[in-house]
Amino acid sequence: MKNKKNEKLFIVLASIVLIITIVIVVILATRKQKPNDEIVLPEDDIQIAETMIVSNDNSIQLVNIDGTILDKIDGKIKFHTNDNNDIMYIRDNTFYTLNIKQDADTSKLVENKILDVENVDDFRFNDSYIVTLTKLDNVENENNDILDENNEVKDTTEKIDATESNLTKHNKITASSNFYNVSFIDRKTLKEVNKIENIELDNFIVDNDKFIYSVGNYVYSYNITSNETTELYLGKRISDLSIMNDNIIIYDKFGNGVNKSLLLRTNDDLKVNKTTKHDASNIIAIQKDVEENNIIYIEDDKTPVLYMLNLDGDREVKKKKSLNLDIKGKYNQENTIYSKGYVYTAKDGKINIIDLKSSTIYKTYDIEANFIYPIYSNSDLILK
């Protein structure tokens, strides 16, 4: 009898040990797989916009989610948002911010004039500064040829000053270079407080009092008030820059010969605090809702995949969701934003809303668009 009891006890104990072992193995396996888990959004985090601000080259429109155009502002438009989801745009050589006025029956766009400008080709902004770019039409290349506005060699003896004294010393001037005059406007005084002439850049952002830009495989942080510059050299060409919670996110085509990229998180002085590799070279940042605490980017290959990356804590967490959609064009920060479970993209020149949960198109609209900005009932843009 004793032996049988002991056998039963042994079997029970062995079963318990086996169960515990299985649980431990499952937990460890889950942890190992977690960086590649599919994105699963809580239902409470999913919300479709009620209206959309839609910009294109010739207008800004307020569009209801059912496709009804509620209001429209016509003009030559250059439209941007920043990392705080604020809106600023140039309409016919004047800077504006934008609000929405609602009453029981109507919703209207309300322009707030900032200042008049001339010859601005692009800009970025934050709470302190507006940074404007004016593209230079003719710049010498390293063979002393002249490049026209299309970066083609121009047959002329007329040359602008592009000497080493006013160019970043390591930069080689090539036929693919983009040169600009950069102006820094204080948002309180609306006066130009600094400027840089004949600067080459590929990507640029502004964070606090730093103008951050990339050229080839270099990133620079220029202090607008002190004129000091910090540089960071990387191995391959930098494909994108973005801002998240006062951190700079650098997308570097590191090892693109073996189809890999490097993402770096730095402060605005370019001190690197986190890095991570990504097993694809064709990745690009998109905009996101300010409440979203993940870095959002898209691997835009044969089948586009959206990634959410969290670099906080000791271990990175990377999740993904295949978009698996046949929408023409390329995703980028200029045409795509992620917000509350939906991707709003104008990459094909029209309004498209993608339901991330199902990886399907929620709705498309035959409305010309460069960018779609989702509006909810509690938006700060709505005048109270």
Side-chain angles (χ1 to χ4, degrees):
M1 288 290 281
K2 271 188 177 181
N3 288 337
K4 287 187 177 180
K5 285 184 179 179
N6 288 337
E7 285 177 8
K8 287 182 179 179
L9 181 60
F10 177 79
I11 292 170
V12 170
L13 290 174
S15 298
I16 292 172
V17 170
L18 179 61
I19 291 169
I20 292 172
T21 302
I22 292 171
V23 170
I24 291 172
V25 169
V26 169
I27 290 172
L28 291 175
T30 302
R31 285 182 177 177
K32 287 181 180 178
Q33 295 170 1
K34 195 170 185 180
N36 296 317
D37 280 350
E38 188 173 87
I39 295 169
V40 178
L41 298 171
E43 289 297 327
D44 291 344
D45 292 348
I46 300 173
Q47 183 180 359
I48 191 67
E50 296 181 8
T51 56
M52 300 170 287
I53 293 173
V54 179
S55 70
N56 58 48
D57 292 341
N58 302 303
S59 70
I60 296 175
Q61 299 177 84
L62 182 62
V63 180
N64 193 286
I65 198 65
D66 66 6
T68 304
I69 297 175
L70 305 174
D71 198 13
K72 183 179 181 181
I73 297 170
D74 291 313
K76 185 179 178 181
I77 303 294
K78 186 67 178 178
F79 181 100
H80 281 298
T81 66
N82 65 9
D83 58 301
N84 289 325
N85 293 160
D86 299 320
I87 287 175
M88 187 179 291
Y89 60 95
I90 301 173
R91 179 176 65 81
D92 299 332
N93 297 318
T94 299
F95 271 109
Y96 295 92
T97 59
L98 194 66
N99 288 106
I100 299 170
K101 184 177 180 180
Q102 294 180 333
D103 57 32
D105 301 316
T106 61
S107 294
K108 296 289 184 182
L109 296 170
V110 179
E111 292 187 303
N112 309 298
K113 181 178 177 179
I114 303 175
L115 79 161
D116 296 323
V117 291
E118 293 182 357
N119 302 321
V120 173
D121 293 299
D122 205 355
F123 72 95
R124 299 290 187 273
F125 70 100
N126 62 11
D127 291 340
S128 301
Y129 296 99
I130 302 172
V131 179
T132 67
L133 266 60
T134 301
K135 190 168 185 177
L136 302 180
D137 290 339
N138 302 315
V139 176
E140 292 183 7
N141 68 6
E142 60 183 344
N143 297 317
N144 295 320
D145 295 319
I146 296 295
L147 309 180
D148 62 17
E149 62 273 12
N150 297 315
N151 288 321
E152 300 292 339
V153 175
K154 184 177 180 181
D155 183 17
T156 176
T157 57
E158 182 184 359
K159 300 180 180 181
I160 69 163
D161 180 19
T163 60
E164 184 173 294
S165 62
N166 60 10
L167 291 173
T168 307
K169 62 183 179 181
H170 72 274
N171 292 340
K172 288 187 176 181
I173 310 170
T174 65
S176 62
S177 299
N178 292 317
F179 282 82
Y180 299 88
N181 288 337
V182 184
S183 178
F184 304 98
I185 299 168
D186 187 297
R187 288 195 66 179
K188 290 183 179 178
T189 64
L190 299 182
K191 302 292 184 183
E192 182 184 75
V193 294
N194 205 342
K195 64 181 179 180
I196 309 173
E197 295 184 344
N198 299 350
I199 188 173
E200 181 186 12
L201 61 83
D202 299 322
N203 306 288
F204 73 104
I205 52 179
V206 57
D207 185 52
N208 298 317
D209 61 349
K210 306 295 173 56
F211 171 58
I212 297 159
Y213 63 100
S214 67
V215 185
N217 49 9
Y218 283 83
V219 183
Y220 297 91
S221 175
Y222 172 77
N223 191 308
I224 298 168
T225 56
S226 70
N227 294 317
E228 296 176 343
T229 300
T230 303
E231 71 176 39
L232 177 65
Y233 173 79
L234 297 170
K236 292 290 182 179
R237 190 172 187 86
I238 293 142
S239 59
D240 213 350
L241 301 170
S242 64
I243 304 173
M244 179 174 173
N245 299 334
D246 277 337
N247 287 299
I248 310 305
I249 311 300
I250 302 169
Y251 298 78
D252 179 36
K253 290 187 175 181
F254 173 79
N256 59 343
V258 290
N259 201 34
K260 292 185 184 297
S261 297
L262 187 66
L263 279 79
L264 301 93
R265 190 180 71 183
T266 78
N267 64 12
D268 60 12
D269 286 322
L270 304 183
K271 182 178 179 181
V272 178
N273 53 54
K274 282 288 180 70
T275 62
T276 185
K277 287 184 181 180
H278 185 87
D279 291 331
S281 62
N282 192 19
I283 63 172
I284 198 75
I286 62 170
Q287 295 192 48
K288 65 180 184 61
D289 192 294
V290 70
E291 297 173 358
E292 175 59 54
N293 290 318
N294 291 299
I295 300 167
I296 309 289
Y297 63 96
I298 289 178
E299 177 187 312
D300 198 1
D301 214 332
K302 293 180 181 178
T303 300
V305 180
L306 184 141
Y307 283 85
M308 293 184 176
L309 174 65
N310 193 315
L311 294 177
D312 295 332
D314 296 331
R315 180 173 54 84
E316 71 177 55
V317 177
K318 184 192 291 185
K319 298 186 178 183
K320 65 182 180 179
K321 185 75 172 182
S322 174
L323 298 181
N324 200 22
L325 300 164
D326 187 21
I327 303 175
K328 294 181 180 179
K330 291 289 185 181
Y331 293 101
N332 58 51
Q333 293 190 73
E334 303 296 311
N335 62 31
T336 303
I337 185 170
Y338 169 80
S339 180
K340 303 183 190 302
Y342 293 88
V343 177
Y344 300 79
T345 183
K347 71 171 189 164
D348 66 348
K350 303 291 184 181
I351 302 174
N352 300 276
I353 304 176
I354 302 166
D355 182 346
L356 192 62
K357 182 178 179 180
S358 62
S359 296
T360 59
I361 296 177
Y362 173 81
K363 192 171 285 190
T364 60
Y365 308 77
D366 190 21
I367 298 174
E368 183 180 352
N370 294 337
F371 189 75
I372 306 114
Y373 186 92
I375 300 293
Y376 307 92
S377 59
N378 61 346
S379 171
D380 291 338
L381 294 178
I382 299 174
L383 296 172
K384 307 304 179 186

